[in-house]
Amino acid sequence: MHWLWAIIVGAVLGLIARAILPGKQHQPIWLTVIFGMIGGILGNAVATWIGVHDTKGIDWVRHLLQLAGAVVIVALGDMVYMAVRGDRRRQTT
């Protein structure tokens, strides 16, 4: 069940990160979900490194780090996606 939870949280984080970023993102939604999952994993890793991975109550710092990781990964992923796919789209239009 952990993989299902990772997909759900990744989808939410990816979509929130996509909404936070200014301008239009060009990657498809499914790729945004994958980037959100990667960002969530990155945020969890950072939370573990700084010692706030598991606290009593709601882990606000961990959640904020997950969201920050998702924003960074979605932004970088969009740049990479446009570098790889963007030239083909410009040539056909």
Side-chain angles (χ1 to χ4, degrees), residues 6-21:
I7 291 171
I8 293 169
V9 171
V12 171
L13 284 173
L15 295 175
I16 291 172
R18 190 173 181 143
I20 288 173
L21 289 169

Side-chain angles (χ1 to χ4, degrees), residues 34-66:
I34 291 172
F35 291 154
M37 289 172 20
I38 294 169
I41 292 168
L42 178 67
N44 272 338
V46 171
T48 301
W49 293 334
I50 64 173
V52 294
H53 178 67
D54 192 24
T55 60
K56 292 182 180 179
I58 299 174
D59 297 330
W60 292 109
V61 174
R62 181 173 55 98
H63 296 316
L64 288 174
L65 289 170
Q66 287 176 331

Side-chain angles (χ1 to χ4, degrees), residues 76-88:
L76 291 174
D78 187 53
M79 286 189 270
V80 170
Y81 182 81
M82 284 307 294
V84 171
R85 297 292 227 158
D87 291 336
R88 288 188 211 155

